[in-house]
Amino acid sequence: MDVVIRLENLSKSFGDACVLSHVSRDFEAGKIHGIVGNNGSGKTVMMKCICGFLPATTGTIHVFGKQIGRDVDFPESLGVI
């Protein structure tokens, strides 16, 4: 199992509104992953955190073994549409 993206205890809040609450998930290389949820459930916010566009309130995000916000500001070799 080659983990490309690892979310550990990821939370994101905007003021008093908690959008993501303690999300932990591994995304393996060579697989297609889908993120589904209702409108306003935090899918886009999670992607923006993974891409380094938004800082996480708590938790860590590792992409290709490097922590976003500490080791790198933006993941290398990551494409998002």
Side-chain angles (χ1 to χ4, degrees):
M1 173 173 84
D2 197 18
V3 175
V4 177
I5 300 172
R6 174 168 282 155
L7 309 177
E8 295 175 324
N9 206 24
L10 177 67
S11 295
K12 178 65 181 172
S13 297
F14 297 98
D16 291 336
C18 181
V19 179
L20 296 173
S21 180
H22 307 289
V23 177
S24 295
R25 177 76 180 148
D26 288 344
F27 296 93
E28 299 173 21
K31 293 188 176 183
I32 297 172
H33 299 273
I35 308 298
V36 295
N38 294 331
N39 290 345
S41 63
K43 300 177 300 289
T44 302
V45 170
M46 183 180 72
M47 289 301 297
K48 287 181 178 182
C49 290
I50 292 170
C51 293
F53 299 151
L54 286 174
T57 303
T58 62
T60 59
I61 303 166
H62 290 85
V63 179
F64 300 115
K66 295 183 180 178
Q67 185 174 333
I68 304 301
R70 188 189 73 186
D71 300 329
V72 294
D73 291 328
F74 304 101
E76 300 170 11
S77 304
L78 184 72
V80 178
I81 297 175

